[in-house]
Amino acid sequence: MSYVNKTVSINGTEKDFIKAFANELTSADSRITCETDIDAEFANEDSSHIITIIFDVSNCYKIKLIRAVAINRATYQYNIQTVINNVDKSSAVLFFSSATKFVTDIATRTFNFMLISNDNTVVMLFGDYNQSLPNVYKYNLMSYHEQDFNVIAYNLNSIASKAEYIRTDENHQGEIYKITNRLLYSRDENVEMIESKPLMQNNVAVHDMKSVYDCSNVLAGNILSFEDNRYFSIDTNTLIKI
């Protein structure tokens, strides 16, 4: 179980920065691996080459970090994109500087990300160089993992738990699930945990989520302590144990 709120800030070349970011992201959770040889990617001599760094998350989906322009041109941004069942989904722009920089310039570049995870759930938020997570962010993902059951939700503007979940395991790729059977009520003075867990449901199946809990209304992005346990509030009604 993990909670990481990380600012990656490096004074060096763009390759130095991307390597540092990749190291921090993969170190945050062993289920995240980098598939790209970053040194080789930056050594590409094709002037039209677009640098692309690919991360795999628990064999469930991939994340692409894509430079905005060709390697021979200055930029100050990357696109972050999710690949689900080998299909590129919507992307967001992440700025790493306030001014354009060439790949080889020595400069300070910064990304922010948050990772909140337990045995079954991985939540990630990504932000610009000048954003404070989780208050402001550009892109977020939430995936849920069990043996033979893997789903992923992504969203640009709101926490992903409110979105549709796309199933990625081999036998049921593309099935759509939503969190349902929510128990909503006022919280009065204290946060009260509800014993039942949220459900993933589509038109043919219902799946009970582990280590994810309903609660009374709380502010999204907060960490709560309850009965010697800690929980991260994904949205106003969903906690994951950390």
Side-chain angles (χ1 to χ4, degrees), residues 196-214:
S196 63
K197 299 178 180 67
L199 304 177
M200 292 280 193
Q201 185 171 18
N202 66 8
N203 58 351
V204 295
V206 177
H207 198 87
D208 187 6
M209 298 174 71
K210 298 176 181 177
S211 300
V212 180
Y213 303 88
D214 273 326

Side-chain angles (χ1 to χ4, degrees), residues 8 14 38 50 56 84 86 120 122 125 151 160 170 220 234:
V8 182
E14 193 171 310
I38 296 174
I50 300 294
D56 179 87
I84 303 176
N86 297 316
N120 302 101
V122 178
L125 283 69
V151 291
E170 185 175 355
I234 301 171

Side-chain angles (χ1 to χ4, degrees), residues 29-150:
D29 193 297
S30 61
R31 288 168 290 191
I32 304 172
T33 58
C34 183
E35 294 187 344
T36 304
D37 183 331
I38 296 174
D39 287 325
E41 187 70 6
F42 277 86
N44 193 306
E45 295 181 354
D46 182 353
S47 62
S48 64
H49 179 64
I50 300 294
I51 293 170
T52 302
I53 313 299
I54 301 175
F55 300 91
D56 179 87
V57 184
S58 196
N59 294 317
C60 176
Y61 61 98
K62 297 183 188 298
I63 298 170
K64 285 184 179 179
L65 202 61
I66 307 169
R67 198 172 195 268
V69 297
I71 196 169
N72 66 324
R73 295 171 57 193
T75 187
Y76 62 111
Q77 68 189 58
Y78 273 71
N79 293 323
I80 187 166
Q81 185 170 57
T82 310
V83 183
I84 303 176
N85 296 331
N86 297 316
V87 177
D88 291 347
K89 298 297 182 179
S90 59
S91 62
V93 174
L94 297 180
F95 296 106
F96 60 74
S97 176
S98 59
T100 54
K101 305 290 182 184
F102 286 98
V103 170
T104 55
D105 285 349
I106 302 296
T108 298
R109 301 170 172 91
T110 302
F111 273 157
N112 299 280
F113 74 91
M114 283 183 64
L115 184 141
I116 310 98
S117 65
N118 56 42
D119 290 344
N120 302 101
T121 312
V122 178
V123 178
M124 284 184 279
L125 283 69
F126 296 92
D128 284 339
Y129 71 99
N130 60 344
Q131 290 183 334
S132 176
L133 302 176
N135 300 317
V136 183
Y137 54 86
K138 277 292 188 70
Y139 198 68
N140 72 88
L141 305 160
M142 179 177 174
S143 54
Y144 183 80
H145 310 271
E146 287 186 43
Q147 185 176 3
D148 301 323
F149 185 88
N150 292 283

Side-chain angles (χ1 to χ4, degrees), residues 6 27 42 99 102 164 194:
K6 188 72 177 179
S27 297
F42 277 86
F102 286 98
E164 292 183 335
I194 301 178

Side-chain angles (χ1 to χ4, degrees), residues 170-197:
E170 185 175 355
N171 294 327
H172 299 275
Q173 282 189 3
E175 289 185 3
I176 301 298
Y177 284 73
K178 292 183 178 181
I179 292 183
T180 186
N181 196 33
R182 308 308 301 271
L183 304 176
L184 307 178
Y185 61 97
S186 298
R187 78 181 187 92
D188 298 322
E189 294 182 358
N190 299 311
V191 174
E192 179 184 355
M193 299 297 295
I194 301 178
E195 292 297 327
S196 63
K197 299 178 180 67

